[in-house]
Amino acid sequence: MMGPNLVAGFWARVSWSPRRAAPETPRFATQGHTSAVSAASAGRHLQGVAVSFGAPDTLVSDGGIHLLLAGEIYNRDEVAKALGNASAAHGSDATLVLAAWHHWGMTAFRILNGRFAALLLDGGGRVVVATDHAGSVPLWLRADAHGVDVSTEAKTLAGLPGTPLDVAGAQLLPGGTGVHRVQAGTALILETVQGEVRTADRVYTWTPPVSRAAVGEEIAVGRVRRLLAQAVQTRLRDDPEPTVVLSGGIDSSGVAAHAVAHGGLVHSVSMGTEASDEFGPAKVVAGHLGTDHSEMTIHSSDLVRELPWAVWAAEIADHTILEYLLPLIALYRRLPPGPRRVLTGYGADIPLGGMHRHTEPLDLLDSVIAHDMATFDGLNEMSPVISGVAGIWSTHPYWDRDLLDCLISLDPGLKRRYGRDKWVLREALARMLPAETLSRPKLGIHEGSGTSSAWTALLLEKGVPPGRVEQCKAAMARRMHDLIVLRTRHPDEISFDEVLAATEKGRTRHALER
């Protein structure tokens, strides 16, 4: 089957009391085929909805244990071999995860390398929830006296009836809705005692390494080259025509190069605005690699007005991250419809310090990298819903668990060396890309598309004083998050101009009251 074949998201309720009626089908941002799922175990009842691309297994069961898995597993062969069942690598990812649970229990989530969120109802009636190492498929909970709702999108839980309960070990979403977020690299076992939800166990399945490996140039370069090739290959699955978002920078070009090396037809696409684009550098790479390349131009004012869709997809209120995501949201929403698997170079900057290219000295660079890795959780930068709003499955090889461990643990002198940022990655790709690509300075996706300047220009045009631009952006993002995520308004119902006007009116009223 061309394109992805997986569950892209889900909502499910596990109840121990029939008192609360089942809600209507939740409004997902992810666009795909929806199907009902249901199961029962030890007096617990599971009912829900899965959103799928293709025709995957949805709810899988074995020995009274039921599993709902969104996403995919990348170390399938390793897991199957460790289970002593090589044929398990040829079944569905959900079936493989269930076999891993039978074999290892909670430890299975420390072994799995993937992009996933899982809900499991075990034979004792306990509820198990788990995220991948990076929390790249966000997972949300809302518990009450009669059950617990679990979803890959917070908006599907925000308006539910009943008095919400606290869930120990999960982070409460601000806003008074009782919605909690399962932290990245965490698995929780939830059980009920006399109507109270308790966290019986919390297991951390991954944390960013803070140690650094003392390895030479040749070993480091070879390791990065091998792990990046592996990360790209496992994400291609059996798709004969994947798409790569190509800016012409070293990160996305490296992904495109390895996708082409794996064989088959690779599509590449670049996006820009009338204010800025990277079409020239991207075209150089596409020509060198022989990809089927296309360009897309979006007017900068239209790009900024994608903000409600960015909030709808990422479910965050951080205006800086939303600004980074706007070009991707706009691109995905304008790609031709149909099943599509997209790979990006997004995320490489975090472990390699690409956004801190002017930070000196090296120990300070290492400190900011460690800080960025310690604070990424909850930003939802790599949520599949960002592309799922267009029915597209996206994945990010640089945040493969094995590659990420390697990149983080390299000493900073391999990340900045001989006056070049991300030196080890550039060297790892030296034989695959044009010289001008290997030496090209870093640009963020929001810089290459002119997103930051476009949002600023629009606010200045609307009369926002220059000194208040960042404050206004932050306030607009918070207001949209409240309307869209907490009050479940659709982004088409939200006007950028009306939110800006309400934000400025609120600021003026607050100033007068003071």
Side-chain angles (χ1 to χ4, degrees):
M1 176 182 294
M2 180 177 174
N5 185 44
L6 47 81
V7 173
F10 62 76
W11 161 83
R13 177 170 176 81
V14 179
S15 59
W16 36 88
S17 169
R19 295 183 187 179
R20 200 190 85 183
E24 297 179 1
T25 300
R27 178 187 266 183
F28 291 99
T30 301
Q31 298 299 301
H33 172 70
T34 58
S35 57
V37 295
S38 63
S41 181
R44 305 289 187 256
H45 300 276
L46 184 155
Q47 60 178 352
V49 177
V51 183
S52 303
F53 302 147
D57 290 341
T58 50
L59 187 72
V60 298
S61 304
D62 183 25
I65 299 177
H66 311 282
L67 173 71
L68 188 54
L69 181 77
E72 55 190 5
I73 306 301
Y74 299 127
N75 61 339
R76 293 173 49 84
D77 291 340
E78 294 175 10
V79 173
K81 184 177 180 180
L83 290 172
N85 181 7
S87 63
H90 303 292
S92 72
D93 287 13
T95 301
L96 181 66
V97 172
L98 192 52
W101 171 267
H102 275 294
H103 189 80
W104 289 297
M106 289 282 271
T107 302
F109 296 111
R110 287 179 167 151
I111 292 171
L112 298 171
N113 177 7
R115 174 166 169 71
F116 66 86
L119 164 63
L120 185 145
L121 178 61
D122 78 359
R126 300 182 305 173
V127 177
V128 181
V129 293
T131 62
D132 64 55
H133 64 286
S136 68
V137 181
L139 192 59
W140 308 88
L141 308 172
R142 187 182 186 276
D144 57 43
H146 310 296
V148 59
D149 293 88
V150 185
S151 180
T152 52
E153 297 187 26
K155 66 181 73 66
T156 65
L157 307 181
L160 294 179
T163 303
L165 303 175
D166 184 48
V167 180
Q171 292 184 338
L172 184 64
L173 178 70
T177 61
V179 177
H180 295 72
R181 184 179 61 82
V182 181
Q183 294 174 264
T186 300
L188 304 175
I189 293 181
L190 308 177
E191 59 184 18
T192 55
V193 179
Q194 298 178 341
E196 179 183 351
V197 177
R198 295 184 181 177
T199 301
D201 197 10
R202 174 172 60 174
V203 171
Y204 294 109
T205 58
W206 183 83
T207 55
V210 294
S211 61
R212 300 295 181 256
V215 296
E217 291 182 356
E218 186 175 345
I219 292 176
V221 168
R223 191 174 296 170
V224 171
R225 182 186 299 118
R226 175 179 59 82
L227 290 174
L228 178 56
Q230 176 180 298
V232 171
Q233 180 176 340
T234 55
R235 279 159 178 75
L236 294 175
R237 308 288 285 223
D238 297 322
D239 193 333
E241 295 187 18
T243 299
V244 176
V245 177
L246 182 62
S247 69
I250 191 68
D251 304 338
S252 63
S253 298
V255 171
H258 279 290
V260 169
H262 184 60
L265 175 63
V266 175
H267 303 279
S268 58
V269 59
S270 300
M271 195 218 73
T273 68
E274 85 292 346
S276 181
D277 66 62
E278 298 178 272
F279 291 159
K283 191 175 294 184
V284 169
V285 176
H288 180 83
L289 298 176
T291 63
D292 173 37
H293 188 64
S294 60
E295 299 172 348
M296 187 180 300
T297 300
I298 304 171
H299 196 278
S300 57
S301 62
D302 293 332
L303 182 63
V304 175
R305 294 179 195 279
E306 294 284 326
L307 184 60
W309 282 90
V311 175
W312 173 247
E315 300 188 319
I316 58 173
D318 187 310
H319 71 287
T320 303
I321 302 301
L322 289 170
E323 203 162 54
Y324 294 160
L325 297 178
L326 281 174
L328 288 173
I329 290 282
L331 173 65
Y332 292 135
R333 295 212 319 124
R334 288 161 176 79
L335 284 174
R340 189 181 298 269
R341 176 180 290 273
V342 174
L343 281 69
T344 84
Y346 199 88
D349 282 326
I350 302 177
L352 288 171
M355 300 305 291
H356 304 290
R357 51 193 180 274
H358 302 302
T359 300
E360 297 287 356
L362 287 178
D363 59 344
L364 182 56
L365 173 64
D366 196 48
S367 293
V368 295
I369 291 173
H371 175 268
D372 288 348
M373 287 305 311
T375 56
F376 77 87
D377 191 20
L379 298 177
N380 293 355
E381 293 182 71
M382 281 158 278
S383 169
V385 188
I386 292 165
S387 58
V389 296
I392 293 169
W393 178 254
S394 57
T395 181
H396 316 288
Y398 290 103
W399 274 62
D400 176 89
R401 188 191 63 186
D402 295 343
L403 177 58
L404 189 59
D405 279 341
C406 170
L407 294 178
I408 297 170
S409 62
L410 292 175
D411 81 71
L414 290 166
K415 299 173 185 181
R416 180 179 300 148
R417 203 169 188 84
Y418 308 121
R420 302 171 71 193
D421 67 308
K422 294 195 278 195
W423 175 86
V424 67
L425 178 61
R426 296 178 190 276
E427 287 298 301
L429 297 167
R431 292 174 289 189
M432 304 181 77
L433 295 172
E436 61 189 276
T437 303
L438 294 167
S439 61
R440 184 173 179 239
K442 163 69 190 173
L443 279 180
I445 186 170
H446 61 300
E447 297 171 304
S449 62
T451 308
S452 299
S453 59
W455 192 354
T456 298
L458 190 56
L459 294 181
L460 293 174
E461 180 184 317
K462 297 291 184 179
V464 177
R468 286 201 59 258
V469 166
E470 290 303 308
Q471 182 183 355
C472 183
K473 288 180 181 179
M476 288 184 68
R478 290 193 299 268
R479 186 177 294 271
M480 287 194 184
H481 183 270
D482 179 69
L483 291 171
I484 293 170
V485 179
L486 303 184
R487 303 187 194 181
T488 65
R489 297 270 300 277
H490 191 274
D492 281 342
E493 302 169 2
I494 305 299
S495 163
F496 179 96
D497 294 325
E498 289 176 3
V499 169
L500 173 58
T503 299
E504 289 299 276
K505 182 178 179 180
R507 182 190 69 84
T508 302
R509 184 173 61 249
H510 179 69
L512 291 173
E513 290 172 352
R514 292 180 62 186

